[in-house]
Amino acid sequence: MTTTTLTPATEAAATPARRSVSWLAVAPLLVFVALSFGVPVLAMLNGSLTVKNPATGSTAYTAANFTASLKGAYLTALWGSIKLSAVSAVIATVLGLLLAQAVVTSRFSALREGVLTASGVLANFGGVPLAFAFVATLGNSGVLTRHLGLAGAGWSLYSFWGLTITYLYFLIPLMVLTITPALDGLRSQWREAAQNNGATGTQYWRHVALPVLAPSLLGGFVLLFGSAFAAYATAAAIVGSSVPLVTLQIANAISGNVLVDQQNVALALSIDMIVVAGLVMAVYLPLQRRSSRWLA
């Protein structure tokens, strides 16, 4: 049996060919991404920069739609969505981390499997069914509202905090699914080394575990923020227009519920949402590369 040994020159010559094959292998994915995401974004951008003259029917390129999307009720709705998404994502990140840590450190494998399975189901339970469930439970005439006297204590599901609690129903399970692999990546030797050097449990989490988990936690926060930021059906079914949200404003602009011929302003609002999501992702990606070196 003979073996072939590649010389440095032969290996260097073969490298471009390998790269070409790699690009060919990934080409279908790139084409799919371009068609699924690139073309719609370009169409939205073109529409957001277009204004139609109602008298002549001609169109012109201008930034008037973006100017309108950053003023008045539209700006209020954009900030309302950012605030709601950030608050609900922060709360879900903390509670999801605590729940995932309890599951990871549990001695009962059935508990871990049960929680992860339930999280997978609940993370995808949203929209109108979720809104109906909360209205029947915590609405003005909901079961818990009547039995616990929540209305007398000032509770209202149809408010900012009511919508936040509703979002937590699917955000916390999503965080559990996201952070559990990172918690599994924490090596027991790190805790043992910290204990051998006299560190307490709090000091271990502050100086070892949390710095390593920080990128993963931020990644989970970004995912939760995006899920809450893009949610529409649940908010529309619960609060309607009582809580200003950008997704609801986009729907109103497209359907003409408030003003007619505002479809292009809705496209500008959609681009604003993409920019906000892009800024959040720009913070997350560098930290994710750092985390992968520790948890690999």
Side-chain angles (χ1 to χ4, degrees):
M1 184 176 184
T2 60
T3 57
T4 302
T5 303
L6 295 177
T7 63
T10 306
E11 186 174 357
T15 300
R18 294 174 184 170
R19 291 177 180 174
S20 300
V21 173
S22 300
W23 277 108
L24 289 176
V26 78
L29 176 61
L30 296 178
V31 172
F32 174 78
V33 171
L35 293 176
S36 302
F37 297 98
V39 173
V41 169
L42 290 177
M44 290 167 52
L45 184 60
N46 179 72
S48 64
L49 293 172
T50 302
V51 172
K52 185 176 182 180
N53 190 324
T56 63
S58 61
T59 59
Y61 285 98
T62 177
N65 294 323
F66 282 103
T67 303
S69 70
L70 297 176
K71 289 183 178 180
Y74 295 129
L75 180 61
T76 302
L78 182 61
W79 280 115
S81 289
I82 293 176
K83 179 182 176 181
L84 174 65
S85 303
V87 170
S88 58
V90 167
I91 297 174
T93 299
V94 174
L95 297 181
L97 173 62
L98 296 177
L99 179 57
Q101 174 62 15
V103 170
V104 169
T105 57
S106 175
R107 299 178 180 178
F108 304 100
S109 59
L111 175 62
R112 175 189 175 101
E113 295 175 0
V115 171
L116 293 181
T117 301
S119 297
V121 174
L122 297 178
N124 294 282
F125 183 70
V128 176
L130 177 63
F132 174 78
F134 267 84
V135 169
T137 306
L138 291 171
N140 291 340
S141 299
V143 176
L144 291 182
T145 303
R146 288 186 287 107
H147 282 79
L148 300 179
L150 298 179
W155 162 256
S156 174
L157 177 66
Y158 316 107
S159 63
F160 175 87
W161 287 107
L163 192 57
T164 298
I165 292 177
T166 306
Y167 278 15
L168 292 179
Y169 190 84
F170 63 88
L171 291 181
I172 292 176
L174 183 58
M175 185 61 191
V176 171
L177 295 175
T178 302
I179 201 63
T180 297
L183 290 172
D184 287 333
L186 291 177
R187 301 173 186 174
S188 59
Q189 295 89 335
W190 297 345
R191 179 184 290 273
E192 294 171 359
Q195 291 176 346
N196 292 335
N197 285 278
T200 62
T202 302
Q203 290 173 328
Y204 163 76
W205 276 98
R206 178 182 177 185
H207 299 288
V208 179
L210 286 180
V212 174
L213 291 174
S216 298
L217 288 173
L218 183 57
F221 170 81
V222 170
L223 180 60
L224 303 185
F225 181 92
S227 298
F229 194 57
Y232 165 72
T234 302
I238 291 181
V239 300
S241 59
S242 61
V243 176
L245 298 176
V246 66
T247 50
L248 303 182
Q249 286 290 350
I250 291 174
N252 290 334
I254 292 177
S255 61
N257 285 345
V258 180
L259 296 173
V260 298
D261 295 329
Q262 296 295 302
Q263 294 86 350
N264 289 351
V265 177
L267 295 177
L269 286 170
S270 301
I271 296 296
D272 293 339
M273 292 182 66
I274 293 175
V275 171
V276 171
L279 292 175
V280 176
M281 287 296 297
V283 177
Y284 159 66
L285 290 177
L287 292 176
Q288 180 62 27
R289 288 195 294 267
R290 176 185 175 185
S291 176
S292 61
R293 293 198 302 266
W294 283 95
L295 298 176

